[in-house]
Amino acid sequence: MLKYLKSIVFAFVFCAVADSALAEKLGLGRAALPAEVAAWDLDINALGEGLPFGSGDALVGEEIFSEKCAACHGDFAEGIDNWPKLAGGVDTLDHEDPLKTVGSYWPYLTTAYDYIKRSMPYGNAGSLTDDEVYAIVAYILYSNDLIEENFVLSDDNFLAFEMPNAKGFVVDDRGATEYAIWSDVPCMKNCKDTC
Amino acid sequence: MSKIETLKQSRRAFLSGAAAVGAGAMASGEAQAQTADPLITQPQEWSQGFGDGVDATPYGLPIKYEGGVVRRNVEWLTADQVSSINFTPIHALDGTITPQGCAFERHHSGAIDLSKANYRLMINGLVDTPLVFTYEDLERFPRENHIYFCECAANTGMEWAGAQLNGAQFTHGMIHNMEYTGVPLRLLLEEAGYDTTGKWVFVEGADASSNGRSIPMDKALDDVLVAFKANGEALRKEHGYPVRLVVPGWEGNMWVKWIRRIEVTNSPVESREETSKYTDTLADGVSRKWTWAMDAKSVVTSPSPQAPIKHGSGPLVITGLAWSGHGRITRVDVSKDGGKTWETARLAKPGERMALTRFYLDINWDGSEMLLQSRAMDETGYVQPTKTQLRDVRGLNSIYHNNCIQTWWVRENGEAENVEVS
């Protein structure tokens, strides 16, 4: 009996505590350590936040590229077989089958750094040093005829580099261009001129 | 693209759509047997002896006769199997729930082996306290159940220039629909004390591709789930075991699998998956970005090229699926003459928000050829467009978000083919 009473009291107290905790926080999980955040928080955004200190040029980049990337992406980043092409395609975006590459399509250079640093080389992601990535990005720009071979790309001048297709994007405008015109009462009979 | 181009077999058949009325249908109940059916008159093995005992298959698979109902890929589409795609056999399924074992897969660096014990989820960025959760921590948050479709933005992406892949599985099979169990992302963000000025969350997976995407905070707080169960059981490895993100109504690429980090930020990352990919290039070369929502769409799953009519004229069930990333499906119309006349189909159940809806049109088929189409409408009043309407706005190069009306040309012999009638 005593035990029974006790547990009722306990349950009551517990509920009260749980309620207030629910309104705020549950106290689950633990604080992430700075070293843990540093290990995983590697993304670099379009403003350049997260871009590491370092530099590299296309000449150095070419060596690394031919060793670690060319097997799939080709010696000149032109792509082999069905593997992605990273160079070429300028002025093809309004053609049939446009060739979209880092040079012809990508609006931000930060994306190239971010992606190569975190996700390439394919099968050994995250293995490149910061300077190697600068050098590789420089080589890809060089392969796209966007810089000279001795141009040194660094955290200092990285954001100043304007990509050819930087202005080639608009935010989703389907609301105005599509939804507005595709909301009529649908036709049920004689919907097409018979041919 | 050039390889795709060369391998492309153009199935463009600009058919008039004139359906000549063929042989008259047989009246119901008219069939007569000449001899007794031995399956009925003879004793059968399965009715006399024993079947399998319990535990013959501790975890059951479909019976061998259903062995063809599997995911399939189209090899020439991608360079490599670990960054590739396969397709749900929607032509052979019914109802709306996709069994996990045949739900399409899309990986950017393969389906990884990540145990619950090794799983960690980090929330950082603009928060009071960056947190790390274990799998067990997630199971202690209040959880919810919701049925949602997940459609790859590239579903039907091969069909822009003309009818291309011959089967609903291949034209429309980058979709699945499951009941998810998970924790609202909002609760995890509250637990970390997210900064209400933060406008975005950046989410990424634990696999080598890391597949990062930026999601606006409004969506993150609205209905995004951090899910660990699908259709009642643990997620499959290929769908992100042990934990994936569920982003209702929005393109599948944002449903990050093996999710390991959620960062509250002030601006979008503009990662590779939201710039180089998943942006839609228009005819003038300008590209749309942040086209997250999947517009209303439908397809007849049977009859279709992989599901021909084998029974001849007479009663025929025409069925298919409809869905919208903007809410509920309210109506589906079916045309048998390539869009000249339409009939409203029967919805198996009222449409549910951002979930597949099954429709049926039960007809008495006269055995003449049909140009079968379906047209979905959702609660916003949006009507699924024809391919011509889509192309008039976008051109041929946008790859993603092709939600056009699909046509199957069903011939008198019941076989069906992907054709273009726009």
Side-chain angles (χ1 to χ4, degrees):
Chain A
M1 186 63 191
L2 188 64
K3 205 172 169 190
Y4 176 63
L5 262 181
K6 242 186 176 166
S7 65
I8 287 180
V9 171
F10 178 76
F12 178 77
V13 170
F14 182 77
C15 283
V17 170
D19 257 347
S20 66
L22 259 183
E24 293 164 17
K25 290 180 183 183
L26 295 178
L28 292 170
R30 63 162 177 85
L33 301 178
E36 293 171 331
V37 174
W40 277 6
D41 186 355
L42 300 172
D43 64 277
I44 296 154
N45 68 17
L47 302 173
E49 289 166 352
L51 204 56
F53 175 78
S55 64
D57 64 28
L59 285 170
V60 175
E62 181 178 19
E63 281 171 39
I64 310 167
F65 196 91
S66 60
E67 186 196 329
K68 297 184 173 170
C69 323
C72 300
H73 297 296
D75 283 337
F76 308 101
E78 78 284 13
I80 293 179
D81 298 335
N82 223 355
W83 302 101
K85 299 170 175 55
L86 309 179
V90 175
D91 291 334
T92 64
L93 298 180
D94 57 354
H95 293 28
E96 197 182 323
D97 288 330
L99 174 54
K100 300 181 185 181
T101 69
V102 177
S104 70
Y105 192 62
W106 292 30
Y108 305 102
L109 192 57
T110 51
T111 308
Y113 197 105
D114 178 52
Y115 183 72
I116 293 166
K117 173 80 192 181
R118 290 195 289 132
S119 310
M120 285 289 139
Y122 196 57
N124 193 18
S127 60
L128 301 168
T129 67
D130 294 342
D131 282 348
E132 281 178 323
V133 179
Y134 277 108
I136 290 171
V137 173
Y139 181 68
I140 294 173
L141 290 179
Y142 173 74
S143 300
N144 278 285
D145 300 321
L146 294 171
I147 57 168
E148 299 298 319
E149 61 180 19
N150 53 2
F151 181 87
V152 179
L153 191 64
S154 72
D155 54 297
D156 250 357
N157 60 13
F158 201 90
L159 286 179
F161 193 87
E162 181 151 353
M163 300 295 275
N165 194 40
K167 299 205 167 63
F169 291 80
V170 291
V171 172
D172 187 0
D173 61 356
R174 287 176 293 174
T177 56
E178 300 183 0
Y179 305 160
I181 52 174
W182 297 337
S183 299
D184 279 347
V185 176
C187 173
M188 299 301 282
K189 280 200 167 58
N190 303 320
C191 304
K192 288 186 172 178
D193 304 333
T194 34
C195 38
Chain B
M1 269 299 144
S2 61
K3 184 149 192 181
I4 289 171
E5 195 57 42
T6 52
L7 284 160
K8 184 157 87 183
Q9 16 170 332
S10 179
R11 292 181 182 277
R12 252 184 252 216
F14 295 96
L15 296 156
S16 69
V21 177
M26 197 186 270
S28 60
E30 242 180 36
Q32 294 282 335
Q34 300 306 314
T35 51
D37 185 349
L39 282 169
I40 297 172
T41 56
Q42 302 293 310
Q44 299 294 334
E45 204 187 319
W46 58 83
S47 308
Q48 293 186 303
F50 293 124
D52 293 340
V54 295
D55 288 349
T57 46
Y59 191 97
L61 283 172
I63 194 165
K64 58 183 181 249
Y65 311 114
E66 298 298 316
V69 184
V70 291
R71 299 184 277 234
R72 294 184 193 279
N73 75 0
V74 174
E75 266 174 34
W76 51 266
L77 276 180
T78 51
D80 185 18
Q81 297 288 85
V82 299
S83 174
S84 193
I85 182 94
N86 60 20
F87 305 88
T88 308
I90 53 170
H91 65 288
L93 302 176
D94 213 317
T96 58
I97 295 293
T98 315
Q100 292 200 74
C102 67
F104 85 97
E105 307 169 76
R106 203 298 183 228
H107 316 306
H108 287 266
S109 46
I112 57 168
D113 182 333
L114 178 58
S115 68
K116 287 179 182 169
N118 288 341
Y119 180 77
R120 299 289 183 275
L121 174 63
M122 182 185 290
I123 310 235
N124 74 309
L126 303 172
V127 294
D128 290 342
T129 321
L131 292 178
V132 173
F133 298 113
T134 61
Y135 181 83
E136 287 71 27
D137 291 334
L138 295 181
E139 283 199 331
R140 296 173 67 191
F141 281 91
R143 58 185 102 118
E144 296 180 2
N145 288 188
H146 296 279
I147 299 173
Y148 294 126
F149 75 82
C150 172
E151 184 184 18
C152 175
N155 201 18
T156 323
M158 294 306 298
E159 306 293 313
W160 279 103
Q164 168 103 266
L165 299 171
N166 212 23
Q169 176 168 22
F170 305 109
T171 56
H172 289 75
M174 292 189 208
I175 191 161
H176 57 59
N177 191 63
M178 302 189 196
E179 183 196 42
Y180 293 97
T181 301
V183 178
L185 174 54
R186 177 179 43 81
L187 294 185
L188 302 184
L189 292 172
E190 281 170 3
E191 190 68 19
Y194 71 95
D195 184 334
T196 48
T197 65
K199 294 192 175 54
W200 298 81
V201 293
F202 181 68
V203 290
E204 68 182 20
D207 62 318
S209 82
S210 94
N211 188 33
R213 290 293 304 251
S214 309
I215 300 177
M217 185 57 100
D218 287 349
K219 180 71 174 176
L221 296 176
D222 179 17
D223 56 4
V224 175
L225 280 183
V226 174
F228 35 81
K229 294 274 165 77
N231 299 344
E233 60 182 359
L235 291 168
R236 293 288 165 87
K237 175 184 183 180
E238 61 269 33
H239 301 129
Y241 180 92
V243 184
R244 85 170 307 166
L245 204 64
V246 167
V247 189
W250 286 18
E251 60 192 19
N253 181 259
M254 306 178 89
W255 296 44
V256 172
K257 299 187 286 189
W258 313 288
I259 185 160
R260 80 166 187 190
R261 195 171 70 89
I262 298 165
E263 180 181 357
V264 179
T265 64
N266 266 330
S267 58
V269 167
E270 303 282 7
S271 71
R272 181 247 184 179
E273 300 290 332
E274 52 204 17
T275 52
S276 168
K277 306 294 169 190
Y278 304 98
T279 47
D280 317 339
T281 303
L282 305 175
D284 63 0
V286 171
S287 304
R288 289 176 178 160
K289 66 174 187 177
W290 304 351
T291 47
W292 302 305
M294 302 307 297
D295 295 332
K297 183 166 171 178
S298 67
V299 65
V300 170
T301 51
S302 176
S304 65
Q306 297 158 287
I309 306 170
K310 294 190 180 139
H311 53 60
S313 59
L316 169 69
V317 175
I318 297 172
T319 186
L321 292 166
W323 60 95
S324 169
H326 296 281
R328 288 178 302 112
I329 288 294
T330 50
R331 184 173 129 191
V332 180
D333 296 330
V334 171
S335 174
K336 294 177 295 200
D337 57 10
K340 290 185 205 161
T341 52
W342 295 86
E343 301 168 67
T344 297
R346 170 170 64 90
L347 303 187
K349 280 196 289 182
E352 288 168 34
R353 202 177 153 269
M354 289 133 176
L356 291 190
T357 297
R358 170 67 57 180
F359 66 85
Y360 296 104
L361 186 71
D362 308 295
I363 68 163
N364 195 356
W365 184 43
D366 62 10
S368 61
E369 67 170 27
M370 295 185 282
L371 289 167
L372 273 185
Q373 299 185 329
S374 64
R375 178 176 72 189
M377 273 150 272
D378 71 18
E379 61 177 300
T380 68
Y382 177 92
V383 182
Q384 183 182 359
T386 63
K387 210 186 268 189
T388 304
Q389 284 176 307
L390 271 179
R391 286 175 183 158
D392 284 349
V393 176
R394 302 192 202 164
L396 295 176
N397 293 330
S398 56
I399 303 174
Y400 305 106
H401 295 278
N402 183 348
N403 65 323
C404 71
I405 289 172
Q406 170 67 37
T407 312
W408 305 126
W409 174 32
V410 182
R411 271 170 280 177
E412 281 132 340
N413 66 6
E415 281 170 13
E417 192 180 325
N418 182 6
V419 295
E420 177 152 322
V421 178
S422 256

